[in-house]
Amino acid sequence: MLENETNIEPPTGGGGLSRRTVVGASLWSVPAILLTTSTPALAASNSRYRLSLVPMTTAVASGGTAVTGVLTTQAGAPAAGQPITLTLGTRSATGTTDGSGEVTETLDLGRPWATPGSATTVTALSHNLSESGSATVVGANMLVGSSNYTGQLGIGSSGNSQTELVQTSLKFSSPVVEISAAGTHALALLADGTVWSTGSNGDGSLGDGTFTNRFVWGIVPGLSDVISVTTTLGASHALTSNGDVWAWGDGMNAQLGQEDPSKWGSRWPTPQKVKSLPGATQLASTSLRAVFALMSDGTVKSWGAGAGFQRGDGDGNPRGSAATIAGLTDVVQLGSGFGGGGLALKSDGTVWAWGNNDKGQLCDGTTTARATPVQIPGLSGVTQISGGPGSDFGFGSGYAMKSDGTVWAWGENNLGQLGDGTKVDRNTPVQVLNISTATQITGSITSGFALLSDNRVAAWGETFLNGIGTTSTPGYVTPARPVAKIRASQHNKYGFHGLYLITGQAVLSVDVADATVTAGSASAVTAKASNSARVPVAGVALTLAATRGAAVGAASGSTDANGEFATTVTPDPWTMPGDSVRVTVADDASEASDSVTVLGANVIVAASNYFGILGVGTSGTTEWVPRQTSPVFPSPVVDLSSSGAWAIALLQDGTVWTTGGNFTGALGDGTFTNRYVWGIVPGLSDIVDVTTTLEGCVALTRSGDVYAWGGGLEGQLGQADSSKWSLNWPTPMKVDGISGVVKIASTVSRAVFALTADGHAWAWGTGGRTGDGTDVTRGTPRPIPGMSNVVQMASGMDGGLMLKGDGTVWAWGSNQNGQLCDGTTTFSNTPLQISALTNVKQLSGCNGDDWLSYNGMALKNDGTVWTWGSNLAGQLGDGTTNDRHYPGQVANLSGVKEIAGSIGAAYALLDDGRVAAWGKTGLDGIGYTTTPRFVTPGRPVTKIRASLHNWHTFRALYLITE
């Protein structure tokens, strides 16, 4: 800290949050977007820095994902040694930028059950800048169990039984919607129409162009828009939406659908288009090497192996071409895995079968194979069917679920796979014991499974599941996730089972209690969890986080009996007004968020507050220590003017806000009641500049119109009718007689200046101060003779102070302190050049501790400050209290970027962020001084403003921050 420097961390104000509910993605809802993370060209920026995120396409649902933020200066140089907080979902970490301006953190999204393909938020936060984007989640919505001897469960291992249900490998970029497993390999169909595979690959059945086994899921290249998949012994098959059939793997017995018999002995490790079946809706297969296609008209086509009449077309020989199965119509579903034959469900709820009958599975009273379909007697009201391979290639069992939730089974029963409490084969359907609420079924190799309405899974036969094992009556397991579909291995390849549960997710929502959130104040947040039917779910573990540095009260917990979890969110006190804070709730599967607008204040205030001009909610005090003004603004403050008894703030959204004394109606709210916090001036919009007069306020619109309100004395409100000058006007009125205005300013008394687009200055109000060569007071705007090519007009003198484009400075009006620098103290009603001033880039007027003392300030291009005129309070900064009739340099001051004169005081903003103050500063640690002393605000300051009208000497300082 430098000598005479005071470090100031402003205290913060207080304040109140949004009711918008954003619901987590419903089952299989997959965002089309892959990446919205901003590139550096779209980075967030302020006056010092630019913040960006390095583009990333995916984030793993659980495990490490690298996130990189980049901070540069506005000139593009790396900003080393600066903090960046990176957030992925609800997980955050803070690091320090390296020499390249980068921070990389490996973050765990921590949501292993996030829907694959859903979007998660990625955020970087630094120096009150926030840059956000999205990344696609890579995950897995599937539980697996049972046998894993060839890696067919896709969990990264092989040669073992998986007796507990576990999540499969996190590899999918879209949700799994269907599974088919052959016993040694498995296929997964994703919602995006791609196909993935895992397991044994000796026949090329994984379709990845190799014959190498793989124990995690990988995409099958070259396939898209797939709607159905099935597996046969050593082979795989896929159906696209346009009816094309693709196949790969072992071509034995024409199972790949190739019509040339010379190709049946080949292995094809990549998908081959083998036929076109427009109108096909589903593929299915036997436990051997025959394939079926269900057509949209309810007929069925078949191809492949013919042994045991498994194709159902009356022919026992292999055939590569597709032929319709005669007599089979009105079919709505095909069941795979029915041993050496086929299984079909018709629209009338009846079940039909054909092929091998060694275990009486055709229920016709014989063990004779049937070349064409026959009806399974005793079954009606069936809504779903499935086959189950037996202990040998030709054996099989059948399963049917009825509309009443019961499950029926028939065929081979050597391991209790019919679930009737025996191990006796059945040639008529029998009811599976103790099941009455089934919603889905699947048969597997010597086992059966059913999904119940309470999300339990019933299993019987040779299950390979811990706690159930091999049983002839159903045992039960409760999955850790909601189950949407249940599938199992349906081909007897060495007896390798596999159970696959395609999962859903809870529906999350989050509500912030109020319509807006106030920076620095807590507001209630309620997170909710429900199932897909919107029934509340208790006991769901949730985590919450918020962007832009907002603090969450209780950041984790579980839902109560109403499916709710209550907490709070408190935005950082210095959140930029109008910014949004996003509150995110997540469980281990999904997330939801609610974005709300922050009311805040990017203004530090200090010094006199006797009429509440600082907007901190009180009056009659001096705020010696700079503090944040009341956080009520919906948009950032971009400029400010103060008369000493009230203040006016211009917001980025073009609205105008006021605070302080209102005895002349200067607050513009239609009343004459003082107000000590900021409030909007009704009826004004698209404002680009503001100024105050001794009793009023003036505002300029983007279209060049001027509005005024408050005290009308001496025509300061721009009213041509002098009979109205004695009135107070508490609401804005348009000033007539002038248009095309681009800037406005005022004297400390009652004259107003307007700069038009052609560079000419106009004036109205108190006589002599308007610079028109007369002492006539008037309410009609007139151009000031000789004041063309004007680039800046300064407020705060008892007359005019203006800068021309050629760098010359001109002044007029009162001169009792020599402030016109003409060597006299004579009043001038015409502009005079202050010849000693050159290379000036900014001007400011100042007034003293009494009504009749004034001085000027000038900031030169070299960063030095020059002052002249009254020096009663040391406001010239030259170490004395002597008036000076010519410009002199302020001592010990350089590197200045902006100046602001006030009542008996002066202030300057330095390039290094410090604020210099001299005169009667009203600041703790500085007080009254004739040479500059320094403070370091706790926030980066972009503009410095101060009271410019001597109303009872109520000086005030305003620092607009970023």
Side-chain angles (χ1 to χ4, degrees), residues 39-40 44 51 61 81 195 207 246 285 308 336 375 477 514 518 602 605 643 870 955:
T39 63
L51 176 67
V195 178
W246 297 72
S285 58
S336 291
Q375 184 177 351
V477 61
D514 302 316
T518 299
N602 61 311
V605 294
S643 74
S870 173
R955 63 186 59 82

Side-chain angles (χ1 to χ4, degrees), residues 840-842 857-861 863-865 896-899:
V840 173
K841 68 177 183 178
Q842 186 197 349
M857 297 176 67
L859 171 62
K860 290 193 174 186
N861 292 321
T864 60
V865 179
V896 175
K897 62 187 298 185
E898 194 171 56
I899 55 175

Side-chain angles (χ1 to χ4, degrees), residues 296-319:
S296 58
D297 62 3
T299 61
V300 178
K301 296 180 181 294
S302 64
W303 62 92
F309 303 112
Q310 58 188 287
R311 284 198 314 272
D313 60 0
D315 185 359
N317 299 306
R319 188 185 69 245

Side-chain angles (χ1 to χ4, degrees), residues 135-382:
T136 299
V137 175
V138 174
N141 60 306
M142 188 160 58
L143 286 163
V144 293
S146 196
S147 172
N148 189 44
Y149 282 96
T150 57
Q152 69 267 33
L153 299 184
I155 57 177
S157 62
S158 66
N160 61 298
S161 289
Q162 182 60 50
T163 60
E164 301 284 350
L165 293 174
V166 296
Q167 187 177 23
T168 194
S169 53
L170 304 178
K171 296 293 183 181
F172 302 119
S173 57
S174 179
V176 176
V177 295
E178 191 57 87
I179 287 285
S180 179
T184 56
H185 76 283
L187 297 180
L189 172 61
L190 273 54
D192 64 4
T194 59
V195 178
W196 296 57
S197 59
T198 184
S200 175
N201 199 27
D203 296 315
S205 54
L206 299 189
D208 60 2
T210 76
F211 296 97
T212 304
N213 298 342
R214 178 170 22 86
F215 307 139
V216 295
W217 297 94
I219 195 170
V220 178
L223 290 179
S224 61
D225 206 22
V226 174
I227 61 171
S228 183
V229 292
T230 195
T231 49
T232 54
L233 289 179
S236 302
H237 314 264
L239 171 68
T240 65
S241 62
N242 65 358
D244 291 339
V245 178
W246 297 72
W248 60 97
D250 186 0
M252 183 177 292
N253 290 333
Q255 65 177 335
L256 297 187
Q258 295 169 316
E259 298 185 12
D260 183 356
S262 67
K263 298 180 178 180
W264 294 353
S266 300
R267 297 180 301 166
W268 302 86
T270 57
Q272 312 291 313
K273 181 180 174 181
V274 294
K275 55 184 82 280
S276 180
L277 299 175
T281 61
Q282 181 200 350
L283 294 181
S285 58
T286 67
S287 296
L288 301 175
R289 295 186 174 93
V291 182
F292 308 105
L294 175 61
M295 309 303 292
S296 58
D297 62 3
T299 61
V300 178
K301 296 180 181 294
S302 64
W303 62 92
F309 303 112
Q310 58 188 287
R311 284 198 314 272
D313 60 0
D315 185 359
N317 299 306
R319 188 185 69 245
S321 60
T324 299
I325 299 176
L328 194 59
T329 60
D330 298 322
V331 175
V332 294
Q333 188 211 336
L334 296 173
S336 291
F338 189 55
L343 196 62
L345 172 64
K346 289 192 174 186
S347 60
D348 62 3
T350 60
V351 179
W352 298 67
W354 59 92
N356 192 288
N357 196 23
D358 288 350
K359 295 295 182 177
Q361 60 262 42
L362 300 186
C363 297
D364 62 354
T366 76
T367 56
T368 304
R370 296 291 183 178
T372 57
V374 296
Q375 184 177 351
I376 302 293
L379 287 177
S380 61
V382 174

Side-chain angles (χ1 to χ4, degrees), residues 635-648:
S635 178
V637 175
V638 294
D639 210 344
L640 200 145
S641 179
S642 176
S643 74
W646 57 85
I648 181 171

Side-chain angles (χ1 to χ4, degrees), residues 760-891:
H760 212 109
W762 294 55
W764 63 92
T766 305
R769 278 76 174 175
T770 56
D772 61 358
T774 76
D775 295 326
V776 177
T777 296
R778 51 184 167 75
T780 304
R782 289 185 183 178
I784 303 173
M787 293 311 296
S788 59
N789 193 28
V790 174
V791 295
Q792 190 217 337
M793 305 182 302
S795 295
M797 295 272 275
D798 187 28
L801 182 62
M802 298 189 183
L803 174 66
K804 287 192 174 185
D806 60 4
T808 59
V809 177
W810 297 72
W812 62 93
S814 297
N815 195 23
Q816 60 267 47
N817 304 110
Q819 60 264 34
L820 301 185
C821 298
D822 63 350
T824 76
T825 57
T826 303
F827 186 99
S828 176
N829 57 20
T830 58
L832 302 175
Q833 182 179 351
I834 301 179
S835 57
L837 285 174
T838 58
N839 298 315
V840 173
K841 68 177 183 178
Q842 186 197 349
L843 297 170
S844 178
C846 314
N847 50 283
D849 275 358
D850 60 53
W851 290 96
L852 300 175
S853 60
Y854 308 95
N855 61 282
M857 297 176 67
L859 171 62
K860 290 193 174 186
N861 292 321
D862 62 3
T864 60
V865 179
W866 296 68
T867 56
W868 62 95
S870 173
N871 196 26
L872 181 64
Q875 63 262 42
L876 298 189
D878 62 357
T880 76
T881 56
N882 301 320
D883 293 354
R884 191 171 59 239
H885 296 187
Y886 57 88
Q889 186 174 349
V890 175

Side-chain angles (χ1 to χ4, degrees), residues 650 653-655 684-689 700-704:
L650 172 61
D653 63 6
T655 61
L684 290 180
S685 62
D686 209 22
I687 303 299
V688 295
D689 198 12
L700 170 66
T701 68
R702 189 176 305 278
S703 62

